[in-house]
Amino acid sequence: MWRGCKLSSSGSRFLGSFKSVYRCTQADCHRLTTSAVCSKNQLGWTLQIKPWIFNEYGIMWFKSCSMNFACLNRMKSYRLPWIRAYSASRSTVDSREVKTFLALAHRWWDEQGVYAPLHSMNDLRVPFIRDNLLKTVANHQPGKPLSGMKILDVGCGGGLLTEPLGRLGASVIGIDPVDENIKTAQHHKSFDPVLDKRIDYRACSLEEIVEETAETFDAVVASEVVEHVLDLETFIQSCCQVLKPGGSLFITTINKTQLSYALGIVFSEQIAGIVPKGTHTWEKFVSPEKLESILESNGLSVQTVAGMLYNPFSGYWHWSESTSLNYAAYAVKSSVQEHSVPTKFALKGEREELRAEASTNSGTLMRASVLPLTWNTQH
Amino acid sequence: MAARLAGSRSGTALLAVQRGPLVSCRRWAGAAADTVYDVVVSGGGMVGAAMACALGHDIHFGDKKILLLEAGPKKVLGKLPETYSNRVSSISPGSATLLSSFGAWDHICNMRYRAFRRMQVWDACSEALITFDKDNLDDMGYIVENDVVMQALSKQLEAVSDRVTVLYKSKAVSFTWPYPFSMADSSPWVHITLGDGSTLQTKLLIGADGHNSGVRRAAGIRHVSWNYDQSAVVATLHLSEPTENNVAWQRFLPSGPIALLPWSDANHTDLVDSAGSMLQYVVAFLKPTKVSARQLPPSVARVDAKSRVLFPLGLGHAAEYVRPRLALIGDAAHRVHPLAGQGVNMGFGDISSLVHHLRTAAFNGKDLGSMSHLTGYETDRQRHNTALLAATDLLKRLYSTSATPLVLLRTWGLQATNAVSPLKEQIMAFASK
């Protein structure tokens, strides 16, 4: 369900000015008038450079679109993204986003190519996932710290994050709506006999496998996915459904701030060409507060939110105190099954206990998320 | 890609080089039923065997498959021969730490080795001399026979035989390198063909096969090298008088340096020993001792029969230590004059650095052959090794002449260095790593 938003006049002018200078497609104009603007809470300018190095502008001409995950099979009758949003379909995949990724499907594994920043992001996200999962087990096998865990990698792309998790011993299922991505991922893992056994790829959307894989995963990873999703609420609900009670959800995404627009869209895509044009849509960026509220309202207790920063000169990512650009979030599904009842009061004690555990993460610069209990009432 | 430094002291000075093209252009199409190893170490000398040992004993490599290829036959681990071997190495404290990290140092201590505490180096053309000694009671270094080191390493390799496979009499004859990134139907691994025709694949190939490295040649890595117009003669000497044999002596002659490395307290009984130390105590009591008093080296009684060996000397340095899925360690990457006793220690230093980077990569689930951490190893080691190679070459050339201006220069330099203790400590620290 599309979160209908009021557009403040200043906001629309702000976006309108950008639109006239940088965007030129009809679809964009429509989308801007209905999209949510930066919330009043965003104050400082913070820099986010979404790191995708890309040279082929031609392919990207029609890519100024919102990227969602949608099942291609179901989306036969949709015409426009915002109309589709109100349709009865529960899928969260956008076929136009699928086309964007299709063009680059064979480039996933070039470590110095288009996806180089995603490769180097592994230096942050793999330890983030690994260390938080290790805290949930009493002891682990050295050499295979994640052995015995079942992980779902939603929007796995070419398997950039799936393979490291497999190497650490976990059984991973990677899903992606783009067929070509899955083919690339399958092909890449086929040469490694160990990974071949541990990883399973499927070309589908999350909603399709919710029924058959309900409550089977120890962890779900949705890295650089929620900013492409059509309906965040449904997506999170599906993630929650496939998680075991007490299971972990890992999300990395981009914040929705003025600076993330200026640097993440304008600078990275239009000027410097770091990110392919049209990869991201600022309206779909999710602020940590909004994400936390959705997570909490779905029975997922947020343990950690940590900012990430990319240095395009060195090509490395760093943890950061500020979540104004990229950030990573770690949430745990409550062990008690609660569906309709808001969980914030019932599980207050448990949440605080988990937060205390999370605050002693080793080696990474994180701040434990502080979620005031009154936040939900403002929304 | 950042520029890489070709560390050589030749006239070409320091160049920024891009990665050169791969020489062997045979690509392997189609996967095979070959075993895919995680790491293959080519060359089972001290450095290669130590590398395989270090990886085998590392907990993060618990489920990885490691292979060591050695061209020679398996040496039977029997009793130590009574006579000393004439191939010895000076092991620095840093190398001893590495060896003890996987339990080989204990075996060496149980066999035989010699610690030394002081080093005295002087010039033949002048009175300049420099002494190194450690104020605390630490050893400056250890003299160990190469055979003893190899035995200790073999024992430790057998201890992890479930993870590390050792193939003797196997020499890799040809290599096939992968494309930079995954293309249709081409295997991303390095394919190795052995002398007997069998093939295997690996995610990371470590070349530890000496200064005439076949791996380096096959990869087409540029190599700067020259031969010194010198050969080394090594022999075992017996001393004429009993002495507390813990000082290393080195004297620079125009024809080349000559060094006496302590081996054992031979030729004295317990009685003589205690009498000797009492005398020293009395002498010290009567005469005020100067700090770093000049000692005379012991005199030589005879040379051990059949212990003389000659081997040529030269310098070598590889322009790149790493390529995708390839890393060079030890003499394959750098070859140095033995005057500073650093050759094998540089190799052990390479091992420490590479194991550190590989261990972090394995714990992060990374592909072991990925350049992102291999370049970290290369940067670390090239910085250290280039400096040491340059310094050793400079010393060798400086002391090979008896031309007066250069003799003056080096005399003053040596005396100045001897006088400045912090500088000496820095030198010792650098060489002990």
Side-chain angles (χ1 to χ4, degrees), chain A residues 187-213:
Chain A
H187 178 257
H188 194 265
K189 71 144 183 161
S190 65
F191 294 107
D192 186 336
V194 168
L195 284 184
D196 218 1
K197 284 199 291 270
R198 288 194 192 144
I199 301 177
D200 198 18
Y201 287 116
R202 294 193 209 169
C204 62
S205 74
L206 178 58
E207 291 74 27
E208 282 176 45
I209 61 163
V210 161
E211 302 302 322
E212 64 181 271
T213 58

Side-chain angles (χ1 to χ4, degrees), chain A residues 105 157-158 178-189 201 203:
Chain A
V178 182
D179 271 326
E180 281 303 311
N181 287 351
I182 296 293
K183 276 199 203 129
T184 305
Q186 290 268 28
H187 178 257
H188 194 265
K189 71 144 183 161
Y201 287 116

